[in-house]
Amino acid sequence: MVLAALTGAAAVALGALGAHALKDVLAAGDYTTAWKTASTYHIIHALLLVVLARWHPFPLKRWWVFFVGVWLFSGSIYLLCLTPWKWLGPVTPIGGTVLIIGWLSLVIPSPKPNLKA
């Protein structure tokens, strides 16, 4: 839950940063739409992480997929918008793929605990 909460707080802070303090910088580089995409995916997946953290039957291994995916996807976009590090370009679709895998993992049933003593 701590990582989910920190991810959510970062999503709000980075969204606000892009809408206010970095507004002109992002507009000058034509990155406004990219930043909005990153922050939208970021907040949606932060909320999902909160739900999954509270959903006790959800296996922890699958929870981490969303955490890693959102930071690879949104994080790489944030950095692409603010730095000259164009080598991060391939990281974004990797993060997106990880998020897709996370969503698909929701249809895989959780293993039932063995209640036999």
Side-chain angles (χ1 to χ4, degrees):
M1 182 54 92
V2 171
L3 291 176
L6 292 173
T7 299
V12 174
L14 288 165
L17 192 67
H20 301 290
L22 296 175
K23 185 177 181 178
D24 295 335
V25 172
L26 295 173
D30 199 26
Y31 293 123
T32 303
T33 302
W35 192 276
K36 285 182 182 179
T37 299
S39 61
T40 300
Y41 275 68
H42 195 158
I43 194 66
I44 288 168
H45 288 89
L47 291 170
L48 177 65
L49 288 171
V50 170
V51 170
L52 296 179
R54 292 288 185 200
W55 184 21
H56 297 292
F58 191 77
L60 185 61
K61 289 180 210 171
R62 295 187 211 167
W63 188 90
W64 277 94
V65 172
F66 289 104
F67 181 76
V68 170
V70 75
W71 284 105
L72 288 174
F73 180 81
S74 296
S76 65
I77 294 173
Y78 295 139
L79 290 171
L80 283 165
C81 291
L82 297 176
T83 69
W85 302 341
K86 300 307 174 204
W87 56 268
L88 283 170
V91 175
T92 305
I94 292 169
T97 301
V98 172
L99 289 173
I100 292 167
I101 291 167
W103 281 102
L104 291 174
S105 78
L106 293 176
V107 301
I108 300 169
S110 299
K112 304 265 190 251
N114 186 356
L115 300 177
K116 295 179 183 177

